[in-house]
Short mmCIF file of all heavy atoms in Angstrom, two decimals:
data_model
loop_
_atom_site.label_atom_id
_atom_site.label_comp_id
_atom_site.label_asym_id
_atom_site.label_seq_id
_atom_site.Cartn_x
_atom_site.Cartn_y
_atom_site.Cartn_z
N GLU O 259 3.49 -16.40 -8.54
CA GLU O 259 3.78 -16.42 -7.05
C GLU O 259 4.69 -15.29 -6.63
O GLU O 259 4.57 -14.57 -5.67
CB GLU O 259 4.38 -17.78 -6.72
CG GLU O 259 3.50 -18.97 -6.77
CD GLU O 259 2.68 -19.18 -5.52
OE1 GLU O 259 2.84 -18.49 -4.51
OE2 GLU O 259 1.89 -20.09 -5.47
N ALA O 260 5.75 -15.03 -7.46
CA ALA O 260 6.73 -14.09 -7.16
C ALA O 260 6.19 -12.63 -7.34
O ALA O 260 6.79 -11.75 -6.58
CB ALA O 260 8.03 -14.30 -8.11
N LEU O 261 5.35 -12.45 -8.24
CA LEU O 261 4.93 -11.03 -8.51
C LEU O 261 4.03 -10.37 -7.41
O LEU O 261 3.81 -9.14 -7.36
CB LEU O 261 4.11 -11.04 -9.78
CG LEU O 261 4.92 -11.11 -11.13
CD1 LEU O 261 4.11 -11.42 -12.30
CD2 LEU O 261 5.68 -9.81 -11.27
N ARG O 262 3.57 -11.18 -6.49
CA ARG O 262 2.61 -10.65 -5.43
C ARG O 262 1.52 -9.84 -6.08
O ARG O 262 1.29 -8.72 -5.75
CB ARG O 262 3.40 -9.80 -4.51
CG ARG O 262 4.62 -10.53 -3.87
CD ARG O 262 4.18 -11.58 -2.82
NE ARG O 262 3.48 -11.04 -1.65
CZ ARG O 262 4.03 -10.55 -0.56
NH1 ARG O 262 5.29 -10.55 -0.40
NH2 ARG O 262 3.32 -10.08 0.41
N LEU O 263 0.76 -10.48 -6.92
CA LEU O 263 -0.28 -9.71 -7.76
C LEU O 263 -1.69 -9.83 -7.24
O LEU O 263 -2.56 -9.28 -7.90
CB LEU O 263 -0.15 -10.11 -9.26
CG LEU O 263 -0.01 -11.61 -9.64
CD1 LEU O 263 -1.20 -12.35 -9.21
CD2 LEU O 263 0.33 -11.70 -11.13
N THR O 264 -1.93 -10.62 -6.28
CA THR O 264 -3.25 -10.78 -5.80
C THR O 264 -3.80 -9.64 -4.98
O THR O 264 -2.98 -8.91 -4.36
CB THR O 264 -3.42 -12.14 -5.01
OG1 THR O 264 -2.76 -12.07 -3.80
CG2 THR O 264 -2.91 -13.31 -5.84
N SER O 265 -5.04 -9.55 -4.76
CA SER O 265 -5.64 -8.45 -3.93
C SER O 265 -5.17 -8.59 -2.57
O SER O 265 -4.84 -7.58 -1.85
CB SER O 265 -7.18 -8.47 -4.08
OG SER O 265 -7.61 -9.71 -3.54
N LYS O 266 -5.08 -9.88 -1.99
CA LYS O 266 -4.62 -9.99 -0.56
C LYS O 266 -3.09 -9.60 -0.48
O LYS O 266 -2.81 -8.85 0.52
CB LYS O 266 -4.70 -11.50 -0.31
CG LYS O 266 -4.31 -11.86 1.14
CD LYS O 266 -4.43 -13.41 1.43
CE LYS O 266 -3.86 -13.72 2.79
NZ LYS O 266 -3.84 -15.19 3.02
N ASP O 267 -2.29 -9.98 -1.39
CA ASP O 267 -0.88 -9.57 -1.33
C ASP O 267 -0.74 -8.04 -1.30
O ASP O 267 -0.04 -7.35 -0.63
CB ASP O 267 -0.12 -10.09 -2.48
CG ASP O 267 0.21 -11.69 -2.24
OD1 ASP O 267 0.23 -12.09 -1.12
OD2 ASP O 267 0.41 -12.33 -3.22
N LEU O 268 -1.51 -7.40 -2.29
CA LEU O 268 -1.42 -5.98 -2.49
C LEU O 268 -2.01 -5.16 -1.31
O LEU O 268 -1.49 -4.09 -1.05
CB LEU O 268 -2.06 -5.54 -3.83
CG LEU O 268 -1.28 -6.12 -5.03
CD1 LEU O 268 -2.09 -5.97 -6.27
CD2 LEU O 268 -0.08 -5.49 -5.16
N ALA O 269 -2.92 -5.74 -0.66
CA ALA O 269 -3.48 -5.04 0.54
C ALA O 269 -2.37 -5.10 1.66
O ALA O 269 -2.26 -4.14 2.34
CB ALA O 269 -4.75 -5.84 1.02
N GLU O 270 -1.71 -6.22 1.77
CA GLU O 270 -0.60 -6.32 2.68
C GLU O 270 0.54 -5.35 2.41
O GLU O 270 1.15 -4.82 3.32
CB GLU O 270 -0.02 -7.79 2.82
CG GLU O 270 -0.95 -8.77 3.45
CD GLU O 270 -0.48 -10.15 3.29
OE1 GLU O 270 0.69 -10.35 2.73
OE2 GLU O 270 -1.17 -11.08 3.77
N LEU O 271 0.78 -5.07 1.12
CA LEU O 271 1.94 -4.21 0.65
C LEU O 271 1.49 -2.74 0.71
O LEU O 271 2.31 -1.86 0.38
CB LEU O 271 2.34 -4.66 -0.73
CG LEU O 271 3.10 -6.00 -0.81
CD1 LEU O 271 3.20 -6.40 -2.22
CD2 LEU O 271 4.35 -5.91 -0.05
N GLY O 272 0.17 -2.43 1.02
CA GLY O 272 -0.29 -1.08 1.07
C GLY O 272 -0.70 -0.50 -0.30
O GLY O 272 -0.93 0.68 -0.35
#
Side-chain angles (χ1 to χ4, degrees):
E259 292 275 356
L261 283 167
R262 303 290 297 273
L263 44 63
T264 69
S265 59
K266 181 181 176 183
D267 285 335
L268 293 169
E270 291 175 359
L271 293 170

